[in-house]
Amino acid sequence: MKLTWMAHSCFNIILENGTKIVFDPFDNSIGYELPVLEADIALISHDHFDHNDVSRLSGDYTLIREAGEYTVGDVKIRGIKTYHDPEQGALRGENIVFIVEAEGIRIAHLGDLGEMPSEEFYKELGKIDILLTPVGSVYTINGAQAYQICRKIDPNIIIPMHYKTLSLTTPLESVQKFLIEAVGYYDISRLGNDTLKLEASNLKKRTRVIVMQPKLD
């Protein structure tokens, strides 16, 4: 599969069979101009404008925006209800963490997770190969909290998202505070581009952080 970080929390995954999966498309008010993306499956973590703009999608796609278990073709999906803030949604509502399983790889997209999860959450999550986690604080967990969550999940690859970049107008923190926490424990690399080719047979044993360059920055 090919995983492309469009920007913010929006990722575009294309499987070997051509299936296209889009996470959290945003509207163009946050500093990026998201092109219309063709989708077969669209996953929306929560109903905020910088995560739910389905007008940026085309195609006869299956839209999933609720917790639960789903199967679309060869793709298995599980959505786990969490909260967008540390007060059980009182400030910013609910958030769905999505796990996508395809081609022998399990990807977890944490959406706008804003709380430190319970032990039950980690049990529900299970083994994760690729973890897409917010690190920018303000509206989500911060870098130090994201690092603690990564240690609990112990994925194979960690990809930070939802942080301040050159183009983003939302006042988030940069990725740096997360990297300061992670350095010395995880291997860290800067990919320098927006797309990562993933195969189950090529995943390395040691957990690594990959900082991607958003396609739209």
Side-chain angles (χ1 to χ4, degrees), residues 123-201:
K123 291 178 183 177
E124 286 190 70
L125 199 65
K127 181 183 180 297
I128 298 299
D129 298 302
I130 315 299
L131 179 65
L132 314 176
T133 179
V135 300
S137 190
V138 185
Y139 304 108
T140 69
I141 54 175
N142 60 33
Q145 291 170 320
Y147 171 70
Q148 293 174 39
I149 290 169
C150 290
R151 290 286 303 270
K152 292 283 289 186
I153 294 174
D154 193 30
N156 187 267
I157 294 174
I158 299 162
I159 299 175
M161 64 176 185
H162 202 276
Y163 57 83
K164 183 65 176 174
T165 63
L166 291 175
S167 299
L168 183 70
T169 57
T170 305
L172 302 181
E173 293 181 354
S174 75
V175 70
Q176 198 59 34
K177 289 185 178 180
F178 172 73
L179 298 181
I180 289 171
E181 296 286 338
V183 70
Y185 188 82
Y186 293 129
D187 294 333
I188 299 173
S189 61
R190 292 185 179 269
L191 190 61
N193 62 52
D194 54 52
T195 300
L196 188 62
K197 177 74 173 177
L198 299 169
E199 296 180 16
S201 60

Side-chain angles (χ1 to χ4, degrees), residues 24-39:
D24 281 13
F26 49 82
D27 74 18
N28 289 342
S29 67
I30 64 171
Y32 306 112
E33 292 191 13
L34 185 66
V36 174
L37 300 173
E38 186 178 353

Side-chain angles (χ1 to χ4, degrees), residues 6-82:
M6 301 303 297
H8 206 44
S9 297
C10 182
F11 287 82
N12 185 27
I13 294 174
I14 302 178
L15 303 182
E16 290 296 328
N17 64 9
T19 299
K20 300 174 179 66
I21 306 167
V22 178
F23 292 93
D24 281 13
F26 49 82
D27 74 18
N28 289 342
S29 67
I30 64 171
Y32 306 112
E33 292 191 13
L34 185 66
V36 174
L37 300 173
E38 186 178 353
D40 297 298
I41 303 169
L43 303 174
I44 305 296
S45 66
H46 63 290
D47 199 25
H48 288 171
F49 67 92
D50 56 336
H51 296 262
N52 71 348
D53 191 0
V54 294
S55 73
R56 311 313 300 165
L57 304 178
S58 68
D60 185 20
Y61 57 86
T62 298
L63 177 62
I64 301 175
R65 58 198 319 162
E66 302 289 343
E69 296 188 12
Y70 308 86
T71 301
V72 183
D74 295 331
V75 181
K76 294 181 180 179
I77 300 162
R78 184 172 188 182
I80 302 174
K81 185 180 82 171
T82 57

Side-chain angles (χ1 to χ4, degrees), residues 88-105:
Q88 294 193 308
L91 302 177
R92 288 182 286 272
E94 294 180 357
N95 174 70
I96 305 299
V97 169
F98 283 110
I99 303 105
V100 171
E101 186 172 350
E103 297 178 355
I105 295 174

